[in-house]
Amino acid sequence: MAEERYGTWQRWSEERLRLRAIVEFLRHKTVPIHRYSFVYYFGGITLFLFLVQVITGILLLLYYRPSADAAYESVQFIMSKVRFGWLIRSIHSWSANLMVGWVFVHMFSTFFYRAYRRPREFTWVSGALMLFLTLAFAFTGYLLPWNKLAFFATKVGTEIAGDVPLVGKYVMLLLRGGEDVTEATLSRFFGIHVAILPALATVILGIHLALVQVHGMSRPISVRAEREISFYPDFLLRDLAVWILVLALLGTLATLYPWPLGEKADPLAPAPPGIKPEWYFLFMFQTLKLLPSKIFLFEGEMVGIMAFLVGGLVLLLVPFLDVWAQREQQNRWVTTLGILAVAYLVIMTILGLALPAM
Amino acid sequence: MESAERRITRRTFLDYLLGAGLLGLAGIVLYPLTRYLIPPKVTEVTGGSVIAAKVGELAPNSGKIFPFGGKPAILINTPDGQLRAFTAVCTHLACTVQYRPDLAHIWCACHDGHYDLRGQVISGPPPRPLEEYQVTVKGDNIIVSRKG
């Protein structure tokens, strides 16, 4: 009976593409509405910022040249000669920063509402992997304009990677493409930024989004939904409305506060005073600075780096560690731990911003 | 009936408003994008002159390609020892021409275009002669500049 509603074209394409199952699935998928429903937009906002990065990134590739002689000049060319180049580049920078921030917001809202509990453990794991990818995107992309601050930030950042026990030296060599930060590093970071990370992100993001669709939105423990709305078109339209607002915000920020380019990197010049990493790495930077040079028998820096690695592993395994959430219980200690983590990140970042660097 | 008609009108009006809004948004996004895609004109270094070679660098019956205003140009020393300079961009399909000592004239390898020592087309597909440049010798340097 239902077949008769479809025309020849629909029958032809359905036989080959089997899209009706997806359409039917989306038509029946619902999103619960309750007082915390606003967090359901957070992932979508992150996705939108990622898409903006993809599009503006591809556009920048048209003019950008990854060599020590030309990188800075090509970005300068984009910003001063190419029509709307300043806009594209500023949006790319602003969107990158907002994305890093928003990934954290998305992660912590997922954490505090225990959205990682059964059956969504792997949605969380893929999300945590994308947090790492986002930071890697930010770190590699930062060097590409080949300016002074980025040059030294990369020097310090790769040096820190070199302090990881056993494999550190090799990681540093691999990242730098040599003993020092040179044009070879720029080439590598460029390749990592525009080929390797996007490839990884496509796969992991695909898994993440597929899992979100399959499992639907998680309802926070002991929260009752007032009602449900359909994902398509009701929720999707609201999502798109939020995206338009974010786009407006990006356009405004990029226009009123164009991202500066700074001075061209000079490998022979001394590091400028007051040098600091970008805000999203400040908590690590500040922690390493506050650690004493020796903790028991080990170097303070090495202990700090190990602690961050363990922290990353704990983050990845949160759904398996929070056994209470699996029984639909909100454990107070897990919440406290989360609040402490947020407080730590915020305080260290503020300290890093406020204290003089040297 | 009348109220139903009016409701449809209002709905259509809102649809148009929404459509116009989306169209405007598409314009706001697409306009900068298309303008960005069109590469800006790189200001050519024109009117200037360049040192093409040192005196004595070129033996008679030989040529040399040198950059002039961002494009290749060719300096030749004719078999009877005269210095001449032309654009090295073939007028056919913009390949770079070269000097053929065996033929004692300028030749384009891409489609077998031949030019004489005044840049005039002898044979082959080139539709126009090569633009000739001014050659002056100042001290040790052979200086090439645009004519006129």
Side-chain angles (χ1 to χ4, degrees), chain A residues 77 80-82, chain B residues 39-48 68-71 146:
Chain A
F77 179 79
S80 59
K81 294 282 183 338
V82 181
Chain B
K41 279 204 168 53
V42 183
T43 42
E44 223 179 293
V45 192
T46 50
F68 184 63
K71 291 198 169 96
R146 242 170 252 277

Side-chain angles (χ1 to χ4, degrees), chain B residues 84-95:
Chain B
R84 286 188 200 139
F86 305 91
T87 171
V89 181
C90 181
T91 54
H92 176 223
L93 288 172
C95 284

Side-chain angles (χ1 to χ4, degrees), chain A residues 59-60 62-63 77-78 81-85 87-88 244 247, chain B residues 22 25 29 31-33 35-43:
Chain A
L59 288 170
L60 290 173
L62 299 183
Y63 295 105
F77 179 79
I78 289 172
K81 294 282 183 338
V82 181
R83 273 155 299 194
F84 294 104
L87 183 66
I88 303 291
I244 290 177
L247 182 65
Chain B
L22 289 177
L25 179 71
V29 172
Y31 177 71
L33 282 193
R35 293 306 296 261
Y36 179 90
L37 290 174
I38 303 163
K41 279 204 168 53
V42 183
T43 42

Side-chain angles (χ1 to χ4, degrees), chain B residues 65-115:
Chain B
I65 306 277
F66 62 95
F68 184 63
K71 291 198 169 96
I74 187 165
L75 176 72
I76 54 175
N77 195 350
T78 62
D80 52 355
Q82 288 187 50
L83 288 169
R84 286 188 200 139
F86 305 91
T87 171
V89 181
C90 181
T91 54
H92 176 223
L93 288 172
C95 284
T96 302
V97 300
Q98 58 185 285
Y99 184 75
R100 283 275 296 262
D102 54 333
L103 301 172
H105 65 233
I106 301 165
W107 174 64
C108 180
C110 288
H111 303 97
D112 199 29
H114 294 259
Y115 300 90

Side-chain angles (χ1 to χ4, degrees), chain B residues 3-81:
Chain B
S3 68
E5 257 173 42
R6 193 171 294 159
R7 211 172 347 189
I8 289 164
T9 322
R10 185 181 293 168
R11 193 191 175 95
T12 325
F13 174 72
L14 283 174
D15 277 348
Y16 276 126
L17 212 63
L18 185 67
L22 289 177
L23 216 65
L25 179 71
I28 288 170
V29 172
L30 290 178
Y31 177 71
L33 282 193
T34 41
R35 293 306 296 261
Y36 179 90
L37 290 174
I38 303 163
K41 279 204 168 53
V42 183
T43 42
E44 223 179 293
V45 192
T46 50
S49 53
V50 298
I51 298 168
K54 296 274 176 208
V55 171
E57 189 183 323
L58 251 80
N61 198 28
S62 70
K64 179 198 176 186
I65 306 277
F66 62 95
F68 184 63
K71 291 198 169 96
I74 187 165
L75 176 72
I76 54 175
N77 195 350
T78 62
D80 52 355

